[in-house]
Amino acid sequence: MCGIFGYIGEDDALNTCILGLEQLEYRGYDSTGIAGIFDGNLQICKETGKLANLKQRLTFKTLQIAIGHTRWATHGKVTTANAHPHNDSQRTIALVHNGIIENWEELRDQLKKEGFVFVTETDTEVITQLVSKNYKGSLVDAVQTALPFLKGQFAIALIHKDHPDQIVASARNCPLSIGFNDTQTESIISSDLHAFLGKPLNVIFLRDDEVAKVERGKVSVFDKNLARIAKKLDKLDRDFKSPSKEGYEHFMLKEIYEQPTTIQKAYFGRVNDGCVLFEDLVLDLSATKNVWFIGCGTSAHAAAIGGNFFEEIAEIPAQVEIASEARYRMIPPGTLVVAMSQSGETADVLSAVREIKAKGHKILGICNVKNSTLTREVDACIFLNAGPEISVCSTKAFTSQITVLYLLALHLAKKGDFDALQLIPQHIQQVLENALWIEEKAKHYSRYQNFFFMGRRYMYPTCLEAALKLKEISYVNAVGYLGGEIKHGPIALIDENCPVLAFLANSQTESKMMGNLQEVKARGAPILAFAPKHLSSISTIADDVIWLPDTIDPLSPFASTVAGQLFAYFMAKTRKCDIDQPRNLAKSVTVE
Ligand code: AGP
């Protein structure tokens, strides 16, 4: 995923663009770039690596109008040439792009035959040259003419040296917000609202292939036929402020420590007089016979726990399909599909939702970002209310997702036993208060390069999630595995150089897990156990133990997960990894 930003207004456009890109850098940080107009000249500066590198390389001091970009590379290596913005051969147009143009090679070959010269390996440059080819004096017209040739998804912003008073923008299946102030002195374009820098703006969201001409404090939107269209205005809350670390060293640590609060926000106002009601649930779920969850990464792990809830609490059969595979499956008629996505922008989820919807299924979204693309594609959406999650490594969203899924299972079962869930924030607080012990264990195990994470029942998706955390921020090989499966082959990998992290907080499968631990101990594996306080016998097997509060099996993933998050955080810190922006990753993967 990439971040695009544009500014035209009374403030210095260059500086404002830098501030905007700082808020978007979590979307991708392989390279950054800014283009703008000053004194009738098109200025462009771009650099590999993070925004700090660009700031050092800037070749101009001010701009009247600017567009900027943070890149997560899809087509083309991470080089300065491939960094956005991309300009046309005459250096009159500059463009930034988030998304993928699927027919870029065909278009590029055609444009090359017409004499256009390409200097990058990107799909984006094709858009720039196509607009340049169609430019006859109106940038809006040129963009509108080019769009029908493009296959794929995009959010784009363009400037032209002959039009220093306007930025032209368009979008298709990619997020793009456009804001302008009441006094009509400034306008902002951004991939997400957090980059609006706390300014109280009127906001519009483009529908697919609409084109916007953005001037100082004014936005004109045109449809496919270049007819001017009126757009609904949203008002950005005045207290909508850009997220900050609030004193924590990393966003990830802040978001881990937010969880006692965010879990309460996930259930606040949704449990009254012993029954669960969702304010956004406009779908009638009473006839639900079975459920298919779709999601990716952490969201898929939350879905797996949710599937257990649905079966155990509501006695509704449930299964999880990884979104990139779901489109190939035959989903039985009458199935409720639940699309899980923190960002609401994950391309694999969006593509699956569109295909499944086309087959006539009802889809419920569970999401953390209002106005995200997923919220517009599903039949109903329940929000996590967890607040912006900035760290690429998802933490608070996961525990909020399983909170919502637990409530949804209670809702479907028409049950209200909610007392155990109300204790969870305190349980998590107890884990957070044990952080120094967890940090000590992480430092002790930081010398290893390979790990097995092991669990059964509710602890299986929990251990998958804990393993993912460790992989993505510490860059070590961490494999989550079913406790009962290790002996069917993977145990061949177990030796004194391969610690086993055992997640035991599932009373139903405790004795079997203890047996699995004897098997790996016999092969010399160091064992770190994440165990409930009542399981004192684990101390005779494990080399180290991280103790957890006792709770019922369905709610055991909460404390175990937070302990796993802290373990991964401190391991990454010990290994001096980039915690909030790990290499090769982005906060939301908007390509398939
Ligand atoms: C989680 O730590 C990862 N960054 C990643 O697996 C993420 O959960 C996945 O890309 C899905 O994102 P989504 O929830 O925004 O759809």
Side-chain angles (χ1 to χ4, degrees):
M1 166 179 84
C2 303
I4 71 170
F5 185 87
Y7 180 79
I8 178 168
E10 55 195 0
D11 294 339
D12 173 64
L14 173 60
N15 182 53
T16 307
C17 197
I18 288 171
L19 293 173
L21 291 181
E22 282 170 355
Q23 299 304 322
L24 295 176
E25 207 172 8
Y26 74 96
R27 298 172 64 89
Y29 29 87
D30 291 329
S31 61
T32 58
I34 291 178
I37 299 169
F38 187 72
D39 271 353
N41 295 312
L42 183 66
Q43 307 277 2
I44 299 178
C45 187
K46 46 192 190 177
E47 184 56 71
T48 54
K50 295 187 176 176
L51 190 54
N53 295 359
L54 179 73
K55 286 190 233 177
Q56 285 173 2
R57 284 287 307 270
L58 279 172
T59 50
F60 37 84
K61 294 268 180 284
T62 182
L63 293 168
Q64 293 158 292
I65 180 174
I67 55 174
H69 188 267
T70 59
R71 185 180 186 226
W72 183 70
T74 56
H75 294 69
K77 294 188 285 299
V78 178
T79 63
T80 305
N82 288 338
H84 302 210
H86 291 294
N87 58 275
D88 62 335
S89 313
Q90 296 80 13
R91 207 178 164 82
T92 57
I93 293 172
L95 174 146
V96 290
H97 168 224
N98 175 31
I100 276 198
I101 302 306
E102 293 172 0
N103 61 333
W104 68 284
E105 286 168 304
E106 170 198 329
L107 289 172
R108 183 156 100 158
D109 293 347
Q110 179 55 39
L111 287 163
K112 278 183 170 177
K113 283 182 193 139
E114 297 171 24
F116 286 86
V117 176
F118 285 80
V119 295
T120 79
E121 303 163 324
T122 68
D123 55 337
T124 303
E125 191 183 3
V126 164
I127 312 173
T128 313
Q129 302 287 27
L130 201 53
V131 172
S132 173
K133 171 186 170 184
N134 290 292
Y135 178 76
K136 307 270 185 299
S138 160
L139 191 55
V140 169
D141 290 6
V143 170
Q144 197 48 281
T145 308
L147 295 187
F149 293 93
L150 303 178
K151 290 193 185 112
Q153 55 193 132
F154 55 81
I156 53 175
L158 302 89
I159 53 177
H160 190 293
K161 69 189 259 308
D162 297 342
H163 304 278
D165 59 345
Q166 66 181 252
I167 299 172
V168 173
S170 186
R172 182 193 298 164
N173 291 336
C174 261
L176 189 64
S177 311
I178 303 176
F180 59 96
N181 62 350
D182 290 332
T183 52
Q184 302 209 326
T185 56
E186 62 182 353
S187 299
I188 289 183
I189 293 164
S190 172
S191 296
D192 98 26
L193 293 169
H194 303 125
F196 277 12
L197 309 174
K199 296 171 182 275
L201 301 177
N202 302 295
V203 186
I204 64 166
F205 301 97
L206 295 183
R207 301 294 298 173
D208 286 355
D209 290 46
E210 292 175 344
V211 176
K213 180 168 79 171
V214 182
E215 300 167 280
R216 270 179 184 246
K218 195 170 92 174
V219 182
S220 316
V221 180
F222 304 89
D223 67 10
K224 292 184 172 59
N225 308 313
L226 275 180
R228 180 94 186 258
I229 49 179
K231 293 293 285 184
K232 173 175 156 306
L233 289 187
D234 285 299
K235 192 76 181 167
L236 199 53
D237 303 345
R238 285 189 173 280
D239 60 1
F240 189 101
K241 57 185 187 308
S242 302
S244 88
K245 291 179 194 161
E246 293 170 13
Y248 286 92
E249 190 173 353
H250 297 100
F251 275 111
M252 182 180 175
L253 193 60
K254 173 197 167 196
E255 288 153 8
I256 288 173
Y257 275 78
E258 277 185 291
Q259 290 176 108
T261 304
T262 48
I263 285 168
Q264 293 178 66
K265 286 182 178 174
Y267 63 66
F268 180 72
R270 290 172 166 168
V271 184
N272 299 300
D273 303 332
C275 71
V276 176
L277 288 172
F278 290 100
E279 66 285 357
D280 307 309
L281 191 55
V282 295
L283 264 183
D284 174 8
L285 305 182
S286 55
T288 302
K289 292 287 175 284
N290 71 319
V291 176
W292 278 43
F293 289 93
I294 60 171
C296 304
T298 289
S299 293
H301 298 153
I305 292 171
N308 289 345
F309 291 157
F310 276 45
E311 292 189 349
E312 184 167 334
I313 298 168
E315 295 176 5
I316 296 176
Q319 68 185 69
V320 181
E321 276 302 323
I322 297 298
S324 52
E325 292 296 308
R327 64 188 340 173
Y328 308 116
R329 299 300 310 274
M330 197 203 80
I331 300 177
T335 298
L336 170 67
V337 176
V338 181
M340 306 283 297
S341 177
Q342 184 285 132
S343 64
E345 300 301 345
T346 299
D348 288 333
V349 174
L350 296 176
S351 296
V353 160
R354 288 174 190 130
E355 298 245 348
I356 291 167
K357 217 171 140 187
K359 292 171 187 166
H361 292 287
K362 287 290 179 205
I363 303 180
L364 171 64
I366 296 183
C367 187
N368 193 37
V369 181
K370 292 196 181 342
N371 298 313
S372 61
T373 305
L374 179 69
T375 62
R376 297 196 290 272
E377 300 278 350
V378 296
D379 297 290
C381 198
I382 296 175
F383 290 99
L384 304 180
N385 303 329
E389 185 177 70
I390 302 304
S391 187
V392 166
C393 190
S394 187
T395 51
K396 64 176 181 176
F398 177 83
T399 47
S400 294
Q401 284 172 327
I402 58 176
T403 301
V404 165
L405 290 171
Y406 186 76
L407 291 178
L408 196 52
L410 290 175
H411 171 77
L412 290 169
K414 295 184 176 50
K415 290 177 184 169
D417 40 345
F418 165 66
D419 299 348
L421 182 62
Q422 275 186 312
L423 293 175
I424 291 304
Q426 301 164 37
H427 290 179
I428 288 178
Q429 195 56 43
Q430 289 171 34
V431 174
L432 298 174
E433 285 158 10
N434 196 24
L436 284 178
W437 174 253
I438 297 172
E439 180 175 14
E440 191 180 311
K441 294 302 118 189
K443 285 177 177 171
H444 171 69
Y445 285 91
S446 61
R447 66 178 182 277
Y448 294 100
Q449 192 57 35
N450 297 291
F451 294 81
F452 263 108
F453 284 58
M454 204 161 80
R456 286 175 178 248
R457 191 74 177 114
Y458 284 98
M459 288 295 106
Y460 174 50
T462 302
C463 85
L464 290 178
E465 174 58 13
L468 175 62
K469 297 301 97 162
L470 194 62
K471 275 194 278 274
E472 62 179 330
I473 62 173
S474 303
Y475 314 152
V476 298
N477 178 32
V479 179
Y481 231 92
L482 270 170
E485 271 297 283
I486 292 268
K487 57 185 177 295
H488 297 289
I491 200 165
L493 293 173
I494 298 283
D495 62 17
E496 65 284 358
N497 299 312
C498 182
V500 169
L501 275 63
F503 287 74
L504 293 146
N506 199 92
S507 55
Q508 189 186 27
T509 55
E510 258 169 28
S511 56
K512 288 193 170 47
M513 275 295 288
M514 297 293 267
N516 299 144
L517 288 180
Q518 292 290 7
E519 294 156 10
V520 297
K521 189 171 186 64
R523 274 87 185 166
I527 296 174
L528 168 61
F530 292 70
K533 287 199 173 78
H534 72 262
L535 194 61
S536 52
S537 58
I538 189 62
S539 304
T540 60
I541 300 178
D543 299 270
D544 299 281
V545 183
I546 292 172
W547 295 106
L548 302 165
D550 287 315
T551 183
I552 58 173
D553 284 356
L555 297 181
S556 59
F558 284 97
S560 298
T561 295
V562 174
Q565 293 166 354
L566 286 171
F567 181 82
Y569 174 80
F570 290 120
M571 172 82 88
K573 199 172 170 198
T574 306
R575 295 170 71 102
K576 299 188 178 5
C577 296
D578 188 335
I579 290 172
D580 281 333
Q581 298 177 346
R583 68 185 183 193
N584 306 340
L585 299 185
K587 183 56 185 171
S588 171
V589 183
T590 56
V591 294
E592 290 186 69

